[in-house]
Amino acid sequence: MTLPDPTRSTWRTAWRDWHRPLMLCAALMTALMVLCGVGTAVDGRTLLGESVWVKPLKFSFAFALYAATLAWLLSRLDRGRRLARWGGTVLALAVAAEVGAITLQAARGTFSHFNADQGDPITLALVPVLSLGVMVIVIAQLVVAVVVLIQRTGGKDLNRAISAGLGLAIAGMLIPVYWMVGGIHPRTVTDANGTAIPMYQGHGIGDPDGHGMPLTNWSVTGGDFRVPHFFALHGIQVLLLLTFVLAALSARHIWLRDERVRARLVGSAALGYSVLVAIVTWQAARGQSLIHPDTATLAALAATLLLTAAATVAVVVAARRTAASAAVSAATPPAAQRQVTTR
């Protein structure tokens, strides 16, 4: 799992190696995202105060980004490649089915997840897709993660970013599952067609359907488990971006050219980000909105920020000191070094 050389020929070769089913999935999600964006502009129907097209828009955006990331990742493998590619194919199919069912229900002006309308044959037919699809995605993701974790061919910084990112992604997929199996929260809501729809579950505590925040529609009055789900699912992109930025900066900063230094910086960021996911999960479990943290949440966030910053500064200071010492040693003539040693 080595970083590709930024030349045109290398990028062309790497592009051909990307996992095609996942790339096709990413392309379909991107096209769907555009269509849903148009839908939000021209279709005035709403579900729970937001356009019927917002939910498939959010899902298509998230999975377009994630599928493309995995497609690139699978092209870097050298062990367990066939198993990982099969896992990627299953994941691509499951994502397409899941988002397709969400989009179909949005076009019909009704709810996808948690819909318990027994009188709607289409909803009944889609329930297994929406219920089992998540589990298939999680299992396929676990297969890919296990194969990735046995790789030992890349730089320590990239390996650490990928391992931590996949762990976060798996946690992000399991967080809403944990909440959903924790209890039943029945209620009745009205869809875009004016039909009363019985719902058996929700997204959080205190405000099961989430209201208030623009676009995401995360709750501003209660805990919302979509918050840690989002943060954890996209942690891998954050860490990979950090890895690429550090690699690029190493051309200008000598102390960043040691991959062990970059790996420590990525590790510090991964630890801080993981604690952040834990904090927002804890916040949601207490029925607290993301934008209305209490003193305990603010204290936890401040402590995480300070510890992450301290760890980062310690790594940077040590790396700069080591690089400076190496530069002095390299600049000292051999005879002078022998004299110093003799003295």
Side-chain angles (χ1 to χ4, degrees):
M1 294 182 295
T2 56
L3 287 172
D5 180 49
T7 64
R8 182 175 300 179
S9 60
T10 302
W11 277 111
R12 285 177 178 174
T13 301
W15 177 262
R16 288 196 296 267
D17 290 338
W18 287 28
H19 190 268
R20 292 186 179 181
L22 281 170
M23 285 304 297
L24 177 59
C25 177
L28 289 174
M29 294 299 106
T30 302
L32 179 60
M33 182 172 59
V34 174
L35 291 175
C36 290
V38 173
T40 59
V42 302
D43 191 343
R45 294 177 300 162
T46 61
L47 285 172
L48 300 175
E50 67 177 6
S51 171
V52 295
W53 298 105
V54 166
K55 184 171 183 176
L57 173 64
K58 293 186 291 186
F59 271 75
S60 58
F61 168 78
F63 279 118
L65 191 60
Y66 194 64
T69 301
L70 285 184
W72 167 80
L73 176 58
L74 294 186
S75 71
R76 306 289 97 199
L77 303 181
D78 63 349
R79 291 196 288 178
R81 189 181 182 94
R82 179 175 296 181
L83 178 60
R85 293 183 77 85
W86 272 107
T89 300
V90 171
L91 190 145
L93 292 173
V95 166
E98 179 86 3
V99 180
I102 292 171
T103 305
L104 176 58
Q105 290 293 78
R108 299 178 64 233
T110 193
F111 301 94
S112 48
H113 293 99
F114 316 138
N115 191 329
D117 186 1
Q118 299 296 314
D120 183 358
I122 296 179
T123 294
L124 290 175
L126 293 178
V127 165
V129 177
L130 295 166
S131 300
L132 299 178
V134 175
M135 297 309 300
V136 173
I137 291 172
V138 171
I139 294 172
Q141 175 66 29
L142 283 171
V143 171
V144 173
V146 169
V147 174
V148 169
L149 290 175
I150 67 174
Q151 310 296 315
R152 292 294 183 270
T153 60
K156 293 181 179 180
D157 51 345
L158 183 61
N159 284 334
R160 185 163 295 178
I162 291 172
S163 299
L166 286 176
L168 283 166
I170 293 171
M173 293 179 182
L174 291 176
I175 286 171
V177 174
Y178 165 78
W179 161 243
M180 286 188 288
V181 300
I184 304 300
H185 303 271
R187 64 200 182 283
T188 299
V189 294
T190 303
D191 67 9
N193 306 308
T195 305
I197 304 295
M199 305 281 280
Y200 64 87
Q201 190 51 276
H203 297 294
I205 297 175
D207 185 5
D209 295 311
H211 293 89
M213 294 192 197
L215 189 58
T216 64
N217 208 33
W218 293 340
S219 178
V220 296
T221 59
D224 199 320
F225 281 91
R226 290 174 296 182
V227 177
H229 172 70
F230 177 87
F231 275 75
L233 187 63
H234 295 294
I236 187 170
Q237 283 91 30
V238 173
L239 295 177
L240 286 176
L241 178 60
L242 174 62
T243 302
F244 290 130
V245 169
L246 291 175
L249 290 175
S250 66
R252 299 177 56 186
H253 302 282
I254 296 176
W255 57 273
L256 273 175
R257 293 175 188 173
D258 186 345
E259 70 175 26
R260 293 172 299 179
V261 172
R262 299 198 302 272
R264 293 186 189 112
L265 290 174
V266 172
S268 298
L271 181 59
Y273 196 93
S274 298
V275 176
L276 173 63
V277 171
I279 290 173
V280 294
T281 304
W282 173 57
Q283 187 182 20
R286 291 183 294 135
Q288 186 180 112
S289 170
L290 175 68
I291 62 174
H292 295 300
D294 60 10
T295 303
T297 301
L298 289 174
L301 289 171
T304 300
L305 178 61
L306 289 174
L307 291 174
T308 303
T312 301
V313 169
V315 172
V316 171
V317 170
R320 290 173 68 93
R321 184 181 296 121
T322 301
S325 299
V328 170
S329 298
T332 304
Q337 292 182 15
R338 285 195 297 270
Q339 290 179 2
V340 171
T341 303
T342 302
R343 293 177 184 174

